[in-house]
Amino acid sequence: YKVLNFLGGEINYGGRVTDDKDCRLIRTIMMDYMNPNVLQTNYKFSPSGAYISPNAGTRKDYLKYIKGLPRFGNPEIFGLHENAAIITAQAETRDILETILNSQPRSSAGSKEQERDQLVPVSYTHLRAHETREDLVCRLL
């Protein structure tokens, strides 16, 4: 496992990552995924146990396990606090709304100017935290 961690952390990713703290982070994360304990039944990759090393089985068993995983990865799988998902959702929402606002037509000199709020009938209060980008776009169309 030392060799696998070295190949992945130092050679494969280490050559692309130049910051020493980022390199150390990659090595640390890889040690969680490449160690002898991964071969044990139900080895936990996350504190909640949502991500485990499945039992040896057939292709059908693996597909069933994969389908049972959360659709969107929780921050815990990467060792992050659950607030990381909130921050990510807020940033995505901000990016979507900025894109929508920037794609609105600009008023010309001869026409009556409209406020930006009138151009886009969306307010932050109507956004739901659990919505994905696709959900928001579908609601806007």
Side-chain angles (χ1 to χ4, degrees), residues 54-72:
N55 297 330
T58 63
R59 180 179 184 268
K60 187 176 180 180
D61 295 332
Y62 291 121
L63 290 174
K64 182 180 175 183
Y65 170 75
I66 292 168
K67 288 180 182 178
L69 290 172
R71 185 172 179 196
F72 299 102

Side-chain angles (χ1 to χ4, degrees), residues 53-101:
S53 177
N55 297 330
T58 63
R59 180 179 184 268
K60 187 176 180 180
D61 295 332
Y62 291 121
L63 290 174
K64 182 180 175 183
Y65 170 75
I66 292 168
K67 288 180 182 178
L69 290 172
R71 185 172 179 196
F72 299 102
N74 297 329
E76 70 171 334
I77 190 65
F78 303 107
L80 300 172
H81 190 270
E82 61 188 39
N83 286 347
I86 296 169
I87 293 167
T88 300
Q90 288 173 339
E92 284 182 352
T93 302
R94 195 172 16 264
D95 289 345
I96 291 169
L97 292 174
E98 285 178 11
T99 301
I100 292 169
L101 289 173

Side-chain angles (χ1 to χ4, degrees), residues 3-31:
V3 172
L4 289 174
N5 280 305
F6 183 80
L7 286 172
E10 298 291 334
I11 295 174
N12 191 29
Y13 292 111
R16 294 183 181 100
V17 178
T18 56
D19 184 59
D20 63 326
K21 290 179 180 73
D22 289 340
C23 289
R24 191 170 71 191
L25 175 66
I26 289 171
R27 287 192 305 269
T28 302
I29 290 173
M30 291 195 64
M31 282 190 272

Side-chain angles (χ1 to χ4, degrees), residues 29-42:
I29 290 173
M30 291 195 64
M31 282 190 272
D32 286 339
Y33 294 96
M34 290 189 198
N35 65 67
N37 297 328
V38 173
L39 299 177
Q40 295 176 359
T41 302
N42 295 327

